[in-house]
Amino acid sequence: MAGPYMPGFGSPAFQGISLFIGALVTLGSSSAVSNALAGLILIYTRAFQIGDFIRIDENVGSVQDKSLFVTRVLTPKQETITIPNASVLNGNVINYSAICRESNGHLLLYTTITLGYDVPWRRVHEVLIDAAKATNHIETTPEPFVLQTALNDFNVSYQLNAYTPMPEKMSRIYSELHQNIQDKCNAADIEILSPHFSALRDGNHSTIPANYLPEGYTPPGFVVQNPHHQA
C-alpha cells in the first residue's frame, strides 16, 4: 500500500529491490512455517512431553519447553539446547521416559565387558548381577540378567542388562554400575581385560576353565629339537 507513494516507484531499480526483498521474506517465512507445522505435528504425535528424558540425534536431556517453533532441552551438564521443530521432526527421537510414564515400566540399561575364555562364564554372570544389584536406582524385580553377545577370537562379550525407573539419572547410574563391576570383579579375582594369544602353545596353560580340565593336569613342556630333528 505504501509502495506507490515511495520515491522512484515504478522504476526498474525499485522493482528489482522489491523483488529481492520479497524473495527474502518468502524464503525466511518458509522455514518459520515449516517449524510451526512441525510443532503442531509433534503435539499430536505425542513423541515426548515436558520433563521427559530424551535423545534427539546427538542431544540428550530433559525437555524444558515445547513451543510452536522450537524445543528446548536441558542436558545433564546443565546446558540448554534450542532445537528447531523441523529438525526434531526430521531427526530420530528416543524417549527414555515414555515406558516409565505410560505403563509404569522400567528402562533397560546395558553395558558390555570382555573377558577371556579361561574365566568360567557362570561365575561372570554371578559377579555382574551382584554388581547391578549393588547399584542405586537399579531394580531387583525384574532381576538383572547377562547376555553373552559374542564369542570373539580372544574373548567373550558379556552384556549386563538392568532395569531402572529413573532414566533421568542414567549418567550417574552407569557411572556407579561401572564402579561396582570393577569392585566385584576385583573381589572375585577376575581381571577385566581382553587377552591375546600367540600360536605358540607349548608350555602355556590351557585357557579352558580349571574345572573342565582333567584331574592332575599340567601344562605341556617345550619341545626342543636338535639339528637331526630328534626331540
Side-chain angles (χ1 to χ4, degrees):
M1 294 175 63
Y5 300 99
M6 298 180 65
F9 178 78
S11 65
F14 186 90
Q15 293 176 2
I17 293 174
S18 62
L19 287 174
F20 178 71
I21 295 175
L24 291 179
V25 172
T26 301
L27 293 175
S29 63
S30 64
S31 63
V33 170
S34 64
N35 284 326
L37 290 177
L40 292 174
I41 294 173
L42 289 172
I43 292 174
Y44 289 103
T45 56
R46 299 189 305 168
F48 51 84
Q49 297 182 6
I50 302 297
D52 282 356
F53 194 75
I54 65 173
R55 174 188 291 272
I56 302 175
D57 292 333
E58 298 300 322
N59 304 309
V60 181
S62 299
V63 180
Q64 270 192 322
D65 183 33
K66 186 171 65 170
S67 65
L68 189 63
F69 296 99
V70 298
T71 297
R72 291 183 176 86
V73 175
L74 181 65
T75 71
K77 300 298 184 183
Q78 300 303 300
E79 302 166 335
T80 299
I81 302 177
T82 301
I83 308 172
N85 283 335
S87 299
V88 177
L89 188 62
N90 293 327
N92 296 322
V93 179
I94 301 176
N95 193 329
Y96 299 107
S97 301
I99 186 67
C100 303
R101 170 172 45 79
E102 295 177 357
S103 58
N104 293 323
H106 301 88
L107 179 67
L108 186 62
L109 304 181
Y110 56 92
T111 187
T112 300
I113 65 171
T114 56
L115 298 172
Y117 285 93
D118 55 326
V119 183
W121 65 266
R122 292 179 179 83
R123 180 60 175 154
V124 175
H125 285 214
E126 293 175 1
V127 171
L128 292 180
I129 291 174
D130 287 343
K133 291 181 177 179
T135 305
N136 290 323
H137 309 302
I138 290 294
E139 295 292 295
T140 56
T141 304
E143 188 173 357
F145 61 93
V146 178
L147 299 176
Q148 291 175 220
T149 56
L151 299 178
N152 305 307
D153 290 339
F154 306 109
N155 50 65
V156 182
S157 296
Y158 297 92
Q159 184 188 86
L160 173 61
N161 297 262
Y163 295 91
T164 179
M166 306 187 71
E168 66 277 3
K169 296 184 179 295
M170 184 188 306
S171 299
R172 290 187 177 273
I173 295 173
Y174 269 125
S175 179
E176 185 178 347
L177 178 61
H178 292 153
Q179 294 169 5
N180 289 333
I181 290 175
Q182 288 181 278
D183 289 339
K184 296 294 183 179
C185 286
N186 291 337
D189 198 25
I190 297 176
E191 290 184 279
I192 303 178
L193 49 81
S194 298
H196 287 231
F197 299 96
S198 64
L200 179 63
R201 293 303 303 265
D202 287 346
N204 295 328
H205 194 284
S206 173
T207 60
I208 298 176
N211 58 321
Y212 285 95
L213 297 174
E215 187 176 353
Y217 169 83
T218 56
F222 283 97
V223 177
V224 180
Q225 292 183 332
N226 60 24
H228 300 288
H229 303 289
Q230 296 178 351

